[in-house]
Structures are given as C-alpha cells and as structure tokens.
Amino acid sequence: MKHLKIILSTFVLLVSLTACNSNTSKHTTADLAFFQCPMQCEGNKTYSKEGSCPICKMDLKQLEGTSKTIETDDISEASIFNLTSKWHTEEGNEILLKDLKGKTLVVVMIYTSCKAACPRLVADMRNIEAKIPAKNINNVQFALVSIDPETDTPQRLKAFAIENEMDGAQWTFLQGTESGVREFANVLSVKYKEISPIDFSHSNIISVFNAKGELQYQQEGLGVENKDTIETILQLSH
C-alpha cells in the first residue's frame, strides 16, 4: 500500500508539471554518436553518421562515451511565426511566415510603385546584404513585404526583384491579404496609410529577427548608419 501511494503521488506530480508547462516552449533532445577515421587522416574531425573516411576510405569508428545533443525549441509567444496569415512569394508559392523559420530574418515593408522612401529602403537592404560575409549569408533571409497587396502581385514582385538585382535565394518578396499585412505591420510597429490609389505614407523600419522569429533589432530611418544592424545579423547567423 505504501508503494502504491508513492507511485500515485509521483503520477499526480508529473501530470501537474505537464499541465503547468503546456503553454511554454518545449524542448526535445536526441543523442547522436560521433564517428572518426581510425587513422585520423583529418586530425580530430568527427562525423555524426556512419560511413567511410574520404581520405583513406576506411570505415569510420564510433567514439566511445561521446554524443552530441541537439535541442529543438518550439516557437515562443513573442515569435512572428505564430501569425497564421497566408502569403504569396514572388514565385507564386503560398507560404506561412513560419515557413521562413530557421534563418536570421531581415524584414522591410515597401510597395513597388513608391518613388520616394522605398527605393532608399531597398538600397539600404542591398547595402546590408552586401556586408554579410559569404560564410553567414546562407543563414540569412531578406524579406520585402508589400503594403500594397492589391497592386503588388507575385508577378509584379518578381519583376521588381529582377530589376533591383534581388532575385537570389536569400531574397524573398511577399504579397499578403489586406488584413494579414495590417496585422504584420502592427507587430513590427510599422505605420502606413493610403493617401492615393498608388501612394502610401509609411514608417521606414528594417527589422531583424532570430531564427525563431523573435524581434532582435530595428533600424529606423533612411540611409542611416547600419553598423548595429550588421552586428546583430552576424551574431545571429554565425
């Protein structure tokens, strides 16, 4: 009977802890063995999968007592990836914001028919991208979100991307719905207002998010010093 009470108490405690943590980020871990060439042709280099040495072709040997823990976090309440609005890319693909998860995300809101501020913002984005080293660039995604989704169709965004030499894999252009764009702008504290059918007044903000979609830094203004923006991106994408 005493042992039964202990078991029941433990069960109740575990259920309580699970319930308390149901709304927090969860963590899953997996252990991977390390493998290494027995001749150490590449010094102390290790591999996470079985195979053969690329130098001597001998089978890799598992190292005893070593493992690598991989931790995967769910998105937090502060993440933009919680937004469920749907978007179309310049390639015509439909995505959710969470499909951009996993890379440092640099975002600006523009519209393609803008003749004043937006060309400067586009130039600022290109300037930032040009300062990211090649070793970091694969971990960075630049997204330009249209505040004029009626005019900025995927086809128009594609043409704009090509015209501005922003058609590489690191660039993404997004067309959303009116409500989706407004919701996203509110999250970024970007204000915009239509002042004619083809003209908007809007904030000039470039936002930097970590790989989990949490806002880390905002650069405000046109042609401003971007040293802190670059530093934030490099810290997040190393």
Side-chain angles (χ1 to χ4, degrees):
M1 180 64 71
K2 182 177 180 181
H3 292 298
L4 180 59
K5 289 182 178 180
I6 293 174
I7 293 173
L8 288 174
S9 298
T10 303
F11 177 75
V12 171
L13 178 60
L14 288 173
V15 170
S16 299
L17 289 174
T18 302
C20 290
N21 290 319
S22 60
N23 293 322
T24 59
S25 295
K26 297 179 181 179
H27 305 276
T28 58
T29 59
D31 289 330
L32 297 178
F34 281 176
F35 298 86
Q36 189 178 69
C37 171
M39 303 301 294
Q40 293 189 310
C41 294
E42 299 176 283
N44 293 323
K45 182 175 181 179
T46 59
Y47 296 83
S48 61
K49 295 181 180 180
E50 295 181 86
S52 59
C53 172
I55 308 299
C56 69
K57 307 304 180 183
M58 292 183 65
D59 289 341
L60 301 176
K61 299 297 182 181
Q62 181 176 339
L63 298 179
E64 296 183 2
T66 61
S67 65
K68 181 179 181 180
T69 300
I70 296 178
E71 186 175 273
T72 304
D73 296 340
D74 288 342
I75 57 178
S76 71
E77 293 181 358
S79 174
I80 58 170
F81 299 145
N82 288 303
L83 300 178
T84 58
S85 49
K86 295 181 179 179
W87 303 79
H88 286 96
T89 71
E90 78 278 14
E91 303 295 344
N93 299 319
E94 185 177 86
I95 68 169
L96 299 175
L97 290 177
K98 68 179 181 180
D99 293 325
L100 301 176
K101 179 182 179 183
K103 292 186 177 183
T104 300
L105 186 62
V106 186
V107 179
V108 69
M109 301 190 78
I110 63 163
Y111 63 106
T112 62
S113 58
C114 178
K115 303 302 181 183
C118 293
R120 295 288 301 279
L121 286 171
V122 169
D124 286 343
M125 287 284 279
R126 290 183 58 184
N127 182 267
I128 291 170
E129 188 264 353
K131 294 181 179 179
I132 306 301
K135 64 180 181 180
N136 297 78
I137 201 66
N138 289 334
N139 295 322
V140 183
Q141 192 72 37
F142 296 87
L144 292 89
V145 180
S146 173
I147 60 175
D148 184 14
E150 183 175 347
T151 301
D152 289 337
T153 62
Q155 294 81 6
R156 187 179 179 103
L157 292 174
K158 178 68 173 179
F160 186 85
I162 294 173
E163 179 183 350
N164 287 277
E165 300 181 356
M166 304 168 84
D167 197 31
Q170 70 271 34
W171 298 102
T172 298
F173 288 76
L174 297 178
Q175 174 213 36
T177 61
E178 293 284 354
S179 60
V181 171
R182 181 65 65 185
E183 179 184 41
F184 189 53
N186 288 337
V187 171
L188 270 61
S189 297
V190 170
K191 301 183 184 301
Y192 68 94
K193 181 180 179 180
E194 184 176 359
I195 55 180
S196 78
I198 59 170
D199 200 8
F200 293 77
S201 62
H202 58 87
S203 305
N204 303 311
I205 297 175
I206 294 176
S207 304
V208 181
F209 297 84
N210 64 19
K212 301 176 188 176
E214 298 159 343
L215 182 63
Q216 302 296 299
Y217 184 79
Q218 287 189 305
Q219 171 182 308
E220 188 167 2
L222 298 172
V224 300
E225 171 61 51
N226 58 24
K227 179 180 178 182
D228 291 339
T229 304
I230 299 296
E231 184 176 340
T232 301
I233 295 172
L234 293 180
Q235 289 176 350
L236 294 172
S237 63
H238 65 276

